[in-house]
Amino acid sequence: MNIRFYHAKILLTKADHTFEVAEGELWVRGDHICYIGDGTDTSDVCKEDDIIIWDREIDAKGNLLMPGFKNAHTHTPMTFLRSFADDLPLQEWLQQKVFPNEARLKGEDTYWLAILGIMEYLTSGITSNFDMYIMQDYHINAYVDTGFRTVFTSGLNNFTDSLEVLEENYLRINKLSDLTSYVPGFHAEYTTSRPLLEGVAKIADKYHAPVWTHNSETEREVAECKARWGMTPMQFTESLGLYEHGGGGYHCVWLEEKDIEILKNITCR
């Protein structure tokens, strides 16, 4: 589709990573932005015998055009759990509200719930996400069918999915389309046994892939991990070799100084 936006303010990223706002036009040709300017010098885009036929011409009326937002951590099909509870500690919320209701889901449910979430993203200006959830063989189809850009990671834990499913999804999803990709992951240290974590580390090493997980989200999570292993979640998962090829964590609220140093080293790999 060829689209011309005019009378627009356009947010531009400069080479030094600062920003400036230009005024003028932005042209989309097919699936690429082919022109940004005042609309007068378009010789680099259109030769004399090359006239773009516009499918749409949109008067931006002075509004700002900018890159879409990227949501860096989502569980898209969980739209159905909204307002089930908003005043519980994390562990109680998961055990009393989330896990029992997720156990009732069927694969097709996750497809339609993901579709709902994607529609909500688009109305908020979100054009891509980093998603983690279960039943990904259905879940991923929602992204392929809508053309929404996503990176998936596994929600592997003691109760759902398996190492075999994780590896199968890694191989399958990375080949589905240019808009979908996959990295290994697991739900959290407190829901995933050591043998499973060691299995994830082996898969990540096999494919030289980064690993992602919930990490140090609550004070209780960190205290209970220390009671089990004598280390924080960051330190324990790092000791298993999970981040040899990079990765990171979600939330990371209750990090210690050593945890922060580990994360620094991971992001440099």
Side-chain angles (χ1 to χ4, degrees), residues 18-262:
T18 59
F19 299 93
E20 65 176 341
V21 176
E23 296 190 18
E25 303 196 7
L26 182 148
W27 297 0
V28 178
R29 195 173 195 178
D31 59 359
H32 290 78
I33 295 173
C34 66
Y35 174 78
I36 297 175
D38 62 8
T40 56
D41 182 9
T42 62
S43 57
D44 290 338
V45 182
C46 301
K47 308 303 181 185
E48 290 184 5
D49 59 348
D50 183 19
I51 301 174
I52 298 177
I53 304 300
W54 299 115
D55 298 293
R56 295 183 67 186
E57 294 187 68
I58 300 173
D59 186 348
K61 299 179 179 179
N63 286 303
L64 180 69
L65 294 180
M66 60 181 288
F69 293 113
K70 282 71 175 172
N71 193 326
H73 179 50
T74 57
H75 307 291
T76 303
M78 289 180 73
T79 49
F80 82 107
L81 288 167
R82 187 173 293 130
S83 300
F84 266 51
D86 60 5
D87 56 356
L88 292 176
L90 176 66
Q91 301 290 349
E92 284 79 358
W93 178 66
L94 290 173
Q95 293 166 4
Q96 297 174 22
K97 301 294 183 180
V98 176
F99 295 156
N101 283 290
E102 285 184 331
R104 299 164 61 190
L105 290 178
K106 295 180 173 60
E108 189 174 345
D109 297 329
T110 63
Y111 175 86
W112 290 110
L113 291 168
I115 292 285
L116 173 60
I118 291 167
M119 296 302 102
E120 291 182 347
Y121 294 150
L122 292 172
T123 60
S124 303
I126 297 167
T127 59
S128 62
N129 71 340
F130 194 168
D131 212 357
M132 170 192 279
Y133 207 58
I134 56 178
M135 300 184 188
Q136 289 180 336
D137 48 344
Y138 290 89
H139 184 187
I140 184 62
N141 290 336
Y143 286 90
V144 174
D145 290 349
T146 58
F148 192 86
R149 184 182 297 278
T150 185
V151 178
F152 276 90
T153 187
S154 170
L156 173 70
N157 56 65
N158 294 337
F159 316 102
T160 60
D161 291 340
S162 66
L163 293 169
E164 292 75 20
V165 168
L166 189 158
E167 185 168 14
E168 177 186 323
N169 281 334
Y170 179 86
L171 295 172
R172 180 174 62 92
I173 293 173
N174 278 317
K175 296 177 181 178
L176 278 179
S177 79
D178 293 339
L179 299 176
T180 60
S181 56
Y182 190 91
V183 295
F186 58 96
H187 176 260
E189 176 276 329
Y190 60 87
T191 56
T192 315
S193 68
R194 180 167 184 154
L196 279 179
L197 295 176
E198 291 170 342
V200 174
K202 289 179 181 178
I203 291 172
D205 191 53
K206 180 179 180 179
Y207 296 106
H208 291 195
V211 174
W212 290 82
T213 184
H214 296 100
N215 194 324
S216 305
E217 187 173 358
T218 66
E219 188 174 19
R220 173 180 168 180
E221 174 190 341
V222 174
E224 290 181 349
C225 186
K226 283 184 172 182
R228 278 189 291 273
W229 309 110
M231 293 178 278
T232 66
M234 185 74 257
Q235 293 163 31
F236 175 62
T237 53
E238 195 272 341
S239 74
L240 300 179
L242 282 156
Y243 311 112
E244 290 301 309
H245 303 283
Y250 305 117
H251 306 298
C252 298
V253 178
W254 293 88
L255 294 178
E256 298 181 354
E257 288 297 325
K258 185 176 180 180
D259 300 332
I260 295 172
E261 289 304 311
I262 291 172

